[in-house]
């Protein structure tokens, strides 16, 4: 299956206008050769240590045999369950790779205590934990590792044989894990986390779960020449131009999977594009949607829809999909396609697609709250079992949740968006994701949904660094379930609460309106939220 990118107006106008300049500027071949000057002088230093992903297929080949050998070794010991502790790109890439292949991979990308406990309590005797952290200091993965180490030891299992580490060479985790005797896979340090799908971060967890990762690399390799050539039919150039657009820009990008065999690709694309482009007051906001989402029918003027299909050639002539971008290809090819297109979009936008200057602000705020441990602020009001807190007292004037939501939507401009952020156990509260559709219909604006704190490592960058267009609805839970983090002075419950409060504070400091709804009775309160969003 070759990669295909089909466009019609208005995306076609952008392709016709922008691609000739990209071809004349040799952007595709220069990017493939590792040129560091494509994003301006200020980005050259960062780019010089972030372009290893263009060579990931070749540099990752030696890992395949090593991963397969470890998988067979673990299977011989009766270890059949793979749990991945990772955040952002290091969890989203393996998740889409494993899901597409139908391989069982349990992804732990949360600090919700009940979700961590569920991961620990499920067949621990047959479990191996993969700890993935590029920096080696990610607080979520460090906390998860500590909890698993203790749980293994409590069962009389040596953690050394049950924990596999993926990290950059020389990171704090690399040093400590090797000293402890853990199996360590080093990733290419010249690849940023969100571009790491075809490196050890994507391959180790999915390969241990049973995916044919050699075939995945073959798929990517088969498409490389398409993306490297300076021609008008280069799919990466066409896609970059189409999603970047020309004035008036459509800076919201609706991502729809429609009958494709690839499972979950929009979530991975979302973190790649949002974190790469959402800075300096500009960017592209990905919106993961369903084929029947309200935005598909209403088609806001600033929304460009991308439909991921199995055969774009078959979909292309259909009148139903006129105005959309249609993309098809194998998983390996599409991972590389979107990495190329995102980097080229950064070139067109004049921003550095490899840094994340606003991600650290929320982390700093959370750390400050963990150190100070202040009492929670009093709610503006309580309705049923739901506590309501707001960044601006005027948002709560109605005294009802319905009124607060209406007041929040009223803060949206004609180019605004709503971001729903759920800091809850997503295994037990997966139905909350259905709020996205209802809020999109109620607000009349593109709406994103993120599981906290996962999104802080991806779309969180766009929320603070992108255009000041967002209105933010946090959903938190109060629960009696909590879990100590060995060696830390705080619990998982305190950690996720600090992460939510820290992000709300930073958003408010950036002038973004924030409403926080804390659920105290999950069944009744979730129903009340759905009723309020109608």
């Amino acid at each position: 299956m070759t990669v295909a990118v089909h466009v019609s107006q208005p995306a076609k106008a952008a392709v016709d206008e922008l691609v000739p300049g990209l071809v004349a500027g040799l952007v595709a071949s220069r990017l493939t050769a590792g040129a560091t000057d494509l994003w301006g002088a200020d980005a050259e230093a960062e780019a010089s240590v972030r372009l290893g992903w263009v060579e990931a297929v070749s540099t990752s080949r030696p890992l395949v045999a090593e991963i397969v050998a470890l998988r067979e070794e673990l299977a011989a010991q009766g270890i059949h369950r793979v749990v991945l502790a990772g955040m952002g790109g290091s969890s989203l890439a393996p998740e889409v790779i494993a899901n597409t292949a139908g391989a069982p991979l349990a992804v732990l990308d949360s600090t919700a205590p009940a979700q961590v406990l569920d991961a620990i309590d499920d067949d621990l005797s047959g479990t191996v934990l993969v700890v993935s952290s590029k920096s080696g200091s990610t607080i979520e993965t460090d906390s998860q590792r500590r909890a698993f180490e203790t749980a293994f030891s409590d069962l009389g299992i040596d953690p050394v044989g049950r924990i596999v580490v993926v990290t950059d060479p020389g990171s704090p985790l690399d040093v400590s894990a090797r000293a402890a005797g853990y199996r360590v896979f080093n990733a290419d340090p010249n690849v940023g986390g969100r571009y790491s799908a075809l490196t050890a971060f994507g391959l180790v967890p999915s390969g241990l779960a049973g995916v044919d990762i050699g075939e995945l690399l073959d798929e990517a390799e088969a498409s490389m020449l398409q993306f490297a050539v300076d021609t008008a039919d280069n799919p990466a150039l066409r896609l970059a131009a189409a999603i970047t657009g020309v004035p008036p820009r459509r800076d919201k990008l609706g991502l729809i999977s429609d009958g494709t065999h690839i499972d979950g690709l929009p979530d991975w694309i979302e973190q790649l594009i949002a974190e790469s482009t959402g800075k300096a007051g500009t960017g592209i906001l990905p919106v993961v949607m369903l084929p029947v989402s309200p935005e598909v029918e209403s088609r806001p003027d600033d929304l460009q829809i991308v439909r991921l299909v199995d055969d774009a050639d078959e979909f292309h002539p259909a009148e139903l999909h006129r105005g959309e971008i249609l993309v098809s290809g194998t998983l390996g090819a599409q991972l590389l396609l979107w990495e190329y297109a995102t980097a080229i979009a950064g070139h067109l936008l004049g921003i550095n697609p490899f840094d994340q200057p606003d991600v650290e602000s929320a982390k700093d705020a959370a750390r400050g709250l963990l150190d100070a441990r202040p009492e929670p602020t009093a709610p503006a009001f309580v309705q049923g079992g739901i506590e309501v807190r707001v960044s601006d007292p005027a948002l709560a004037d109605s005294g009802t949740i319905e009124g607060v939501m209406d007041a929040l939507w009223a803060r949206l401009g004609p180019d605004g968006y709503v971001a729903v952020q759920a800091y809850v156990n997503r295994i037990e509260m997966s139905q909350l994701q259905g709020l996205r559709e209802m809020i999109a219909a109620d607000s009349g604006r593109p709406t994103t949904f993120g599981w906290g704190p996962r999104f802080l490592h991806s779309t969180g960058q766009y929320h603070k660094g992108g255009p000041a267009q967002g209105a933010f609805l946090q959903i938190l839970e109060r629960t009696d379930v909590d879990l100590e983090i060995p060696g830390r002075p705080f619990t998982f419950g305190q950690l996720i609460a600090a992460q939510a409060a820290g992000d709300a504070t930073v958003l408010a400091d950036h002038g973004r309106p924030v409403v926080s709804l804390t659920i105290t009775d999950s069944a009744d309160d979730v129903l009340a939220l759905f009723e309020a969003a109608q």
Side-chain angles (χ1 to χ4, degrees):
M1 181 192 300
T2 59
V3 175
V5 176
H6 286 303
V7 297
S8 55
Q9 299 295 1
K12 185 177 185 301
V15 171
D16 291 344
E17 179 170 334
L18 297 174
V19 168
L22 296 173
V23 172
L26 306 179
V27 169
S29 59
R30 288 167 62 203
L31 175 56
T32 304
T36 61
D37 60 348
L38 289 170
W39 304 275
D42 291 343
E44 283 201 55
E46 182 84 24
S48 69
V49 293
R50 288 293 178 262
L51 290 173
W53 56 269
V54 300
E55 300 177 338
V57 171
S58 59
T59 57
S60 295
R61 285 288 183 190
L63 288 173
V64 175
E66 206 177 337
I67 294 167
V68 170
L70 179 57
R71 181 174 71 206
E72 293 172 350
E73 178 185 327
L74 292 169
Q77 300 172 34
I79 300 170
H80 54 84
R81 176 173 175 257
V82 182
V83 177
L84 169 62
M87 302 298 294
S90 65
S91 66
L92 287 162
E95 188 169 52
V96 67
I97 294 168
N99 286 350
T100 298
L105 175 66
V107 176
L108 179 57
D109 55 1
S110 177
T111 50
Q115 194 168 335
V116 178
L117 276 169
D118 285 345
I120 291 174
D121 290 343
D122 186 1
D123 192 17
L124 194 62
S125 62
T127 294
V128 61
L129 176 73
V130 179
V131 180
S132 288
S133 172
K134 178 178 174 61
S135 69
S137 58
T138 309
I139 191 170
E140 294 92 342
T141 50
D142 176 74
S143 300
Q144 294 154 354
R145 174 186 58 81
R146 290 167 180 264
F148 268 85
E149 282 178 338
T150 298
F152 281 131
S153 296
D154 288 346
L155 279 182
I157 299 171
D158 185 357
V160 169
R162 296 301 189 92
I163 294 179
V164 176
V165 170
V166 184
T167 189
D168 277 3
S171 75
L173 179 59
D174 184 40
V175 173
S176 63
R178 290 184 185 279
Y182 291 133
R183 180 67 177 270
V184 178
F185 288 86
N186 284 140
D188 184 347
N190 293 320
V191 180
R194 56 191 178 273
Y195 291 83
S196 65
L198 297 173
T199 73
F201 285 107
L203 301 180
V204 171
S206 54
L208 293 181
V211 176
D212 186 342
I213 52 177
E215 181 181 11
L216 182 75
L217 293 177
D218 289 343
E219 292 173 354
E221 186 172 36
S223 67
M224 289 177 63
L225 183 58
Q226 283 184 279
F227 308 147
V229 295
D230 298 301
T231 61
D233 59 355
N234 180 325
L237 296 181
R238 290 169 56 81
L239 182 57
I243 66 175
T244 306
V246 293
R249 283 188 57 218
R250 295 190 171 199
D251 63 353
K252 316 296 189 302
L253 194 69
L255 299 168
I256 299 174
S257 286
D258 194 346
T260 176
H261 71 289
I262 300 175
D263 186 348
L265 186 60
D267 291 305
W268 177 80
I269 296 171
E270 178 187 46
Q271 58 87 35
L272 173 67
I273 292 179
E275 192 170 26
S276 296
T277 70
K279 57 200 68 169
T282 188
I284 301 167
L285 177 69
V287 183
V288 178
M289 297 171 10
L290 301 172
V292 295
S293 289
E295 298 97 325
V296 177
E297 182 175 351
S298 63
R299 297 290 175 108
D301 290 341
D302 56 346
L303 176 70
Q304 173 65 62
I305 290 178
V306 174
R307 195 173 294 264
L308 306 171
V309 300
D310 264 348
D311 189 341
D313 293 317
E314 177 182 314
F315 269 77
H316 180 48
E319 184 68 30
L320 177 63
H321 306 295
R322 191 163 300 281
E324 300 179 351
I325 303 167
L326 305 177
V327 181
S328 63
T330 61
L331 176 55
Q334 288 220 46
L335 292 171
L336 196 56
L337 167 69
W338 285 97
E339 288 174 347
Y340 261 89
T342 301
I344 296 167
H347 167 76
L348 291 169
L349 291 171
I351 52 93
N352 177 359
F354 306 117
D355 67 350
Q356 48 281 331
D358 298 288
V359 168
E360 199 63 32
S361 59
K363 295 181 183 179
D364 289 342
R367 283 191 286 264
L369 290 169
L370 285 171
D371 290 340
R373 216 74 57 78
E375 289 295 319
T377 59
F381 65 89
V382 179
Q383 180 177 323
I386 301 176
E387 300 174 353
V388 180
R389 293 174 175 82
V390 293
S391 60
D392 177 356
L395 288 167
D397 283 349
S398 67
T400 68
I401 294 173
E402 296 92 332
V404 168
M405 288 187 179
D406 288 341
L408 188 61
W409 314 157
R411 300 288 178 95
L412 294 168
D415 55 0
Y417 68 92
V418 181
V420 183
Q421 306 168 341
Y423 290 85
V424 299
N425 178 354
R426 73 162 166 154
I427 306 302
E428 294 182 359
M429 290 188 162
S430 60
Q431 71 271 31
L432 278 178
Q433 197 152 1
L435 278 173
R436 197 217 76 83
E437 306 302 316
M438 302 179 75
I439 289 173
D442 193 43
S443 68
R445 294 300 302 155
T447 300
T448 67
F449 185 97
W451 295 106
R454 180 176 81 175
F455 75 87
L456 293 176
H457 295 258
S458 54
T459 53
Q461 166 61 42
Y462 186 98
H463 296 157
K464 274 87 75 173
Q469 302 168 341
F472 298 86
L473 179 65
Q474 290 189 334
I475 303 172
L476 296 76
E477 63 176 335
R478 177 165 296 124
T479 171
D480 293 333
V481 177
D482 205 351
L483 178 65
E484 298 288 333
I485 302 174
R488 294 295 191 192
F490 49 83
T491 66
F492 277 100
Q494 290 168 333
L495 174 56
I496 195 169
Q499 290 175 310
D503 195 44
T505 298
V506 174
L507 287 168
D509 289 345
H510 281 70
R512 275 57 160 176
V514 184
V515 169
S516 299
L517 306 178
T518 302
I519 294 171
T520 58
D521 184 319
S522 59
D524 291 342
D525 294 348
V526 169
L527 178 60
L529 284 180
F530 275 87
E531 291 174 346
Q534 290 185 18

